[in-house]
Amino acid sequence: MRPISLTSATLGLAGVVYCACECGYVLHDTGAYFTHALANNFSTYPDATSLNTNRATSDFSRDWTVQSWSAGVGLDNPIPRRNDEANVYVQDGTLMMRQIGYTAQDRANNQSVSIAAIVSNEDDFLHGSFRTIFRVSEDRGSVGGFFWYHNDTNEIDIEVLTKEGNDTSIHYTSHPSVLSSGSVIPGASTSATLSAPWTSYQEHRFDWSRKNITFYQGGRLSHTTTLNIPQVAGSIQMNLWADGSTWSGDPSATNVTMSVRSIFIFYNTTASEAGTDKAFNKACQAAGGASNFAVCMDTDPKVKDVKGAAGLCALPGLGSLITLVVVILASLLA
């Protein structure tokens, strides 16, 4: 009888969540492994405004910052825009992002469009699985985006363009999508058809690895690309905006809302991917290592119940226990 030694593949088969996830996370559908998680289930949040400073939503401000900056006009964006903190708030268990209606009089007065954006406080996301559940109102004239960003040539986007008459169209982009000459880079941006209108809640997801980016909608594979794969770390952002450009179209004359139920991210950092994350390595070792089952599955209910990226603890279900017994016996008898 030899000592039990479970590999990452074995952990994927076990399909269990133990201890506090000190040793990372395994995706149930792809088997990919990541060291860190960021989890925001907004159904657990109270109604709140001023999210950057509100103590009632301190879990949000730990993970995210509501933006409050402005941008002027440019060659392809003839209307100025302004991110207002008041346009991001929690209501009825949902993170609300709002673009204020922009009238003909506002444009005549050269007023800025009042828009919304949040940016992760963590800017060291290097590969991962990025998911959010949201819907966008049908008011025409806004872009709802969920994306990873390092700079304009290292960016991964999921975007809804409400100007389009087709409510089941979604856009996936790995930047750069346009050359300095203005020519479009073939394959860098593509549109896909959703199984339900973007006016209804559904999960939008992209998985980013060294070799490709895979986009999902409602758990269904939608698009894969090997073009413009970033190899640097960056932040996560969500926004709702318009600036009169060819991409966004003219801003809606009525308020547009983006309602976000949750954001869940399983990811590596620059250090953890290199195996040099001292804090992660120490915590995993203290938990007994991966062979002590301190690894979580992304589907475990406990992952969905937390507000932030805190440690978790859960007991396995009966099916997982049976699988675990089989795995241990196989290891003992090998």
Side-chain angles (χ1 to χ4, degrees):
M1 188 180 296
R2 64 181 180 83
I4 300 174
S5 177
L6 299 182
T7 65
S8 60
T10 303
L11 288 168
L13 287 171
V16 294
V17 176
Y18 292 87
C19 300
C21 306
E22 296 95 341
C23 295
Y25 304 82
V26 173
L27 305 189
H28 75 286
D29 49 2
T30 68
Y33 166 78
F34 299 105
T35 55
H36 290 66
L38 184 152
N40 297 107
N41 178 359
F42 297 112
S43 69
T44 65
Y45 283 61
D47 287 3
T49 58
S50 303
L51 300 187
N52 285 343
T53 57
N54 194 325
R55 291 185 179 182
T57 54
S58 59
D59 291 306
F60 178 88
S61 58
R62 177 189 59 202
D63 295 336
W64 303 91
T65 297
V66 179
Q67 299 298 285
S68 56
W69 50 266
S70 300
V73 300
L75 292 177
D76 188 44
N77 51 293
I79 300 175
R81 61 194 189 277
R82 182 184 68 252
N83 286 283
D84 288 325
E85 186 178 349
N87 286 333
V88 182
Y89 52 96
V90 178
Q91 181 177 305
D92 298 329
T94 303
L95 179 71
M96 301 297 298
M97 304 180 70
R98 177 180 61 194
Q99 176 184 307
I100 300 296
Y102 191 74
T103 66
Q105 189 61 49
D106 290 329
R107 185 160 189 172
N109 294 335
N110 199 33
Q111 296 294 311
S112 296
V113 186
S114 179
I115 58 175
I118 63 172
V119 178
S120 63
N121 295 329
E122 172 69 81
D123 62 358
D124 192 19
F125 293 92
L126 180 63
H127 306 128
S129 182
F130 307 83
R131 304 110 177 265
T132 180
I133 296 175
F134 71 82
R135 68 180 182 188
V136 181
S137 62
E138 61 183 355
D139 308 272
R140 306 298 177 182
S142 186
V143 178
F146 174 61
F147 59 105
W148 172 92
Y149 183 84
H150 176 79
N151 57 29
D152 289 346
T153 57
N154 289 274
E155 181 178 350
I156 305 168
D157 294 344
I158 295 178
E159 291 178 299
V160 166
L161 276 57
T162 70
K163 70 172 186 178
E164 297 177 329
N166 185 353
D167 289 355
T168 58
S169 179
I170 192 117
H171 295 262
Y172 303 134
T173 306
S174 56
H175 290 270
S177 59
V178 179
L179 298 172
S180 57
S181 63
S183 300
V184 173
I185 299 176
S189 185
T190 188
S191 61
T193 300
L194 299 172
S195 58
W198 38 254
T199 52
S200 61
Y201 283 112
Q202 53 197 293
E203 183 186 69
H204 300 276
R205 165 185 168 186
F206 63 90
D207 287 7
W208 163 39
S209 70
R210 290 187 182 91
K211 296 182 178 180
N212 58 48
I213 303 166
T214 305
F215 297 89
Y216 298 82
Q217 181 268 323
R220 176 180 61 89
L221 175 63
S222 183
H223 175 66
T224 299
T225 183
T226 57
L227 184 66
N228 299 335
I229 307 302
Q231 301 299 334
V232 292
S235 63
I236 296 297
Q237 306 187 28
M238 293 192 79
N239 59 12
L240 187 68
W241 62 276
D243 59 5
S245 63
T246 54
W247 189 249
S248 75
D250 289 336
S252 171
T254 56
N255 288 359
V256 185
T257 58
M258 185 174 182
S259 307
V260 186
R261 281 185 171 172
S262 62
I263 304 171
F264 291 98
I265 303 171
F266 304 93
Y267 66 100
N268 293 337
T269 64
T270 303
S272 73
E273 182 141 319
T276 59
D277 187 327
K278 293 181 180 179
F280 173 81
N281 293 343
K282 182 178 180 179
C284 180
Q285 184 177 12
S291 62
N292 198 40
F293 311 112
V295 176
C296 295
M297 291 293 288
D298 62 331
T299 52
D300 188 87
K302 291 294 182 181
V303 176
K304 305 300 183 185
D305 288 341
V306 297
K307 297 179 186 175
L312 311 173
C313 188
L315 294 174
L318 177 61
S320 293
L321 279 172
I322 294 173
T323 304
L324 177 59
V325 171
V326 172
V327 171
I328 292 176
L329 288 174
S331 182
L332 289 171
L333 296 174

